[in-house]
Amino acid sequence: MNENYHVIRIQQYLNGKLSREEMYQLEREALDDPLLQDALDGYGMQDEVSHRRLSLLQQRLAARIAVQAKERNAFYFGWQRLGVAATACVLMVLVLVLLWIRRHPETSRATEKEVHVELASPGSRVAIHAAAVEGDGLDALPEGGWEKFNAYLASAGSGTGATGKVTLAFDIDAQGKPTSIRETGNVDDRLSGAARRLLVGGPLWSGTRGVVAITFE
Amino acid sequence: MQSEQQLVQEYRKTGNLQLLGRLYEPYMPLVYGLCFKYYKDEAKSEDAVMQIFESLITKLRIHEVSNFKSWLYSLARNHCLMDLRIGNRISVVDIDEHLVESDLFLHQHDSGERIPEERLVLMESCLGELNAEQQTCVRLFYLEQKCYREVAEITGYDLNKVKSHIQNGKRNLKICMEKKQG
C-alpha cells in the first residue's frame, strides 16, 4: 500500500476536496485501520498536512540511519584492522620461530665451547677461604666480618691453580691497611704471592695485629 | 521490491537500519498524525516519531511480528500514552486483540459478497440492540454508504459525534455478534 497516497488523500479529505464516495471510502478504511484513523484525527486537529515537516522528518530518519551506517563502517574497519594486526603478529611469531630454529645449532655450539673452556682450566675455579688464627694480641678483624672477607676471596681469587695453605701474619696501620705481611710456617712462593695480593687488595682491617690462614683448594 | 514481511524478517536477522528505515518511512506521516492527536504539539510529535523509530530498533528484533502495521500502531500509540502518563485513564492497546480484529476484517474482505445468510440475520438482530444514535449512524454509514458529513447532515448530529457513534456502534455490533455466535 502506498502510504504517500494516504497522506495526499488525508490532505484532500481535510480540505474537502474529495467526492462523497471518496470520503466514504477513506472513512470506511479508517474504521478498519486504527493507525489511519488516529492519523486522520491528528491531522484534523491541525487542519493541514505539513509537507515541510514530513520531509524534515524523512531527513531526520535518513540521518539516523546514516549514523548506524557510519558506525558499521567504523566497526567493520576496526575488525579488518584487528584482523590485519593479528595476521601480522602470527607472521612475526612464525618468522621469529624460524630464525630461532636456524640459529639454534649455533647457540648450542657456543654453549659447548663455554663448557670446553671450563674443562680446559679447571684450576681457574679454585675455592679460597680464610680463617683467623687465634693467639695472644691477635685482634685483627676484617671490615664486614669474616664471611664478607671470604666472599671477597671467592670472587677475587682466581688463584694460580696450585692448592695449599698459606698462613700470613701482619700488622694493621692507622688506615686499617695490613702492613709488614710475613709468611709463617710452610712457604709456597706461588701461593704466598697470591695470598699477599689478596690480603693487600682486600678490605681494611680493624685491630692491631693478625694472623690469617688462607686455604686454596 | 521486498514485501513488508520479508523486510521484517531480514531486519530481524541483520539489524540493518536501512531495512528498518524502508519499513518505517511509509508509515511516518501516519505515525506523525497519530502522535499529534495525543501531543497536540508539532515539535513533540516529530520527536516522538523518531523515538518510536528508536524503540522499533530494539523491539522489532525481540518480538515476533506477523502484522507490522498493526504492531506499529500499538507500539506508537502506547509510546504516546506512556509518555503522556495517561495510560491509567486510557487503556493501552493490546496487540493480540488488535491483530485478531484486523485478521477478522481481512477475512471479511476476503469472503466479500458471500456472507452467509445466518450472519446477516444475526447482524440485523444485533443492529436492533444498539442504541438509537448508533443504530442510525451505523445503518447510514455501512448500509447506505453515506460519508460522515452526509450522516451528520441527515441526522443533525455533530461530525465528531457521528464518528464516535459509528466507531462505538461497530464495536458493539462485533461484540454482540461474537456473543450470539459463540
Side-chain angles (χ1 to χ4, degrees):
Chain A
M1 195 185 297
N2 188 345
E3 303 293 335
N4 268 335
Y5 171 66
H6 261 338
V7 175
I8 293 164
R9 272 173 81 204
I10 289 171
Q11 189 176 26
Q12 289 174 334
Y13 177 80
L14 293 173
N15 295 343
K17 284 180 185 165
L18 290 184
S19 71
R20 288 178 177 261
E21 289 76 27
E22 285 169 326
M23 280 168 80
Y24 173 76
Q25 198 55 43
L26 187 68
E27 287 160 354
R28 184 78 199 257
E29 272 176 44
L31 275 172
D32 294 345
D33 181 349
L35 179 57
L36 178 60
Q37 182 64 63
D38 279 2
L40 211 50
D41 293 344
Y43 285 114
M45 286 173 179
Q46 43 182 337
D47 290 325
E48 56 142 9
V49 178
S50 168
H51 289 285
R52 189 184 59 84
R53 282 189 178 272
L54 290 178
S55 72
L56 278 175
L57 266 178
Q58 279 177 331
Q59 283 171 24
R60 276 177 78 174
L61 183 71
R64 174 63 186 83
I65 291 166
V67 168
Q68 193 210 28
K70 258 187 213 163
E71 276 173 6
R72 283 209 152 205
N73 280 343
F75 200 57
Y76 174 70
F77 279 123
W79 278 111
Q80 203 179 38
R81 281 178 196 151
L82 268 181
V84 168
T87 315
C89 283
V90 168
L91 279 174
M92 211 170 100
V93 167
L94 271 174
V95 166
L96 283 174
V97 166
L98 273 172
L99 280 175
W100 185 74
I101 287 172
R102 280 192 166 196
R103 289 204 174 173
H104 188 65
E106 287 173 38
T107 50
S108 64
R109 234 175 279 144
T111 320
E112 276 168 29
K113 246 184 218 167
E114 205 182 320
V115 172
H116 186 71
V117 167
E118 256 184 88
L119 287 173
S121 57
S124 68
R125 294 232 174 251
V126 177
I128 307 166
H129 58 90
V133 175
E134 311 227 333
D136 279 343
L138 303 178
D139 53 0
L141 193 69
E143 202 173 60
W146 286 101
E147 273 181 31
K148 202 174 169 190
F149 186 68
N150 273 320
Y152 152 72
L153 290 180
S155 65
S158 55
T160 56
T163 60
K165 190 175 173 182
V166 182
T167 309
L168 295 175
F170 56 93
D171 297 335
I172 296 160
D173 70 6
Q175 282 89 44
K177 286 180 187 164
T179 55
S180 336
I181 299 166
R182 54 210 175 267
E183 292 84 7
T184 60
N186 297 332
V187 175
D188 180 323
D189 284 341
R190 283 189 304 169
L191 287 181
S192 65
R196 275 167 177 270
R197 277 195 300 281
L198 285 169
L199 190 60
V200 171
L204 299 176
W205 294 74
S206 61
T208 51
R209 286 181 59 221
V211 179
V212 61
I214 297 173
T215 314
F216 295 82
E217 288 174 339
Chain B
M1 183 70 192
Q2 285 167 293
S3 81
E4 203 169 81
Q5 199 53 34
Q6 278 173 325
L7 278 174
V8 170
Q9 292 305 328
E10 195 67 16
Y11 172 72
R12 283 174 63 86
K13 259 188 271 167
T14 61
N16 184 346
L17 282 196
Q18 297 212 317
L19 296 173
L20 190 64
R22 269 158 63 191
L23 262 172
Y24 188 59
E25 200 176 345
Y27 293 110
M28 232 162 40
L30 293 182
V31 174
Y32 174 73
L34 175 141
C35 292
F36 193 87
K37 177 180 171 177
Y38 293 105
Y39 289 104
K40 298 171 184 68
D41 180 284
E42 288 173 344
K44 276 186 191 162
S45 305
E46 279 180 25
D47 289 344
V49 170
M50 293 312 294
Q51 284 158 8
I52 289 164
F53 181 73
E54 293 296 332
S55 62
L56 265 182
I57 292 173
T58 49
K59 288 190 175 153
L60 191 57
R61 298 201 77 177
I62 301 166
H63 299 285
E64 189 70 50
V65 174
S66 59
N67 185 332
F68 179 71
K69 190 177 183 179
S70 300
W71 185 78
L72 175 64
Y73 170 66
S74 308
L75 183 83
R77 185 165 181 265
N78 289 346
H79 175 92
C80 297
L81 293 180
M82 293 290 197
D83 197 30
L84 290 168
R85 299 189 190 283
I86 53 173
N88 295 334
R89 276 189 285 144
I90 300 175
S91 67
V92 170
V93 183
D94 182 38
I95 293 174
D96 290 336
E97 184 197 327
H98 179 58
L99 286 184
V100 170
E101 197 181 346
S102 50
D103 283 348
L104 189 80
F105 282 116
L106 281 175
H107 182 69
Q108 281 183 358
H109 283 301
D110 286 347
S111 52
E113 286 126 49
R114 285 186 286 112
I115 302 170
E117 203 178 331
E118 69 257 32
R119 272 182 77 88
L120 281 177
V121 175
L122 202 63
M123 192 181 79
E124 196 57 43
S125 87
C126 279
L127 207 50
E129 288 180 21
L130 295 178
N131 69 35
E133 289 100 342
Q134 289 178 4
Q135 199 182 132
T136 317
C137 293
V138 167
R139 273 182 194 281
L140 285 171
F141 186 79
Y142 279 105
L143 303 181
E144 295 179 31
Q145 309 204 333
K146 306 281 186 200
C147 69
Y148 289 171
R149 196 186 292 169
E150 287 174 311
V151 176
E153 281 166 8
I154 294 166
T155 57
Y157 300 140
D158 179 68
L159 198 66
N160 284 328
K161 279 269 189 285
V162 167
K163 196 165 75 182
S164 77
H165 285 325
I166 290 170
Q167 283 172 340
N168 295 334
K170 182 191 150 203
R171 189 169 55 242
N172 292 337
L173 202 58
K174 191 180 147 222
I175 293 168
C176 168
M177 284 176 74
E178 277 171 357
K179 212 190 291 173
K180 292 203 174 183
Q181 244 178 355

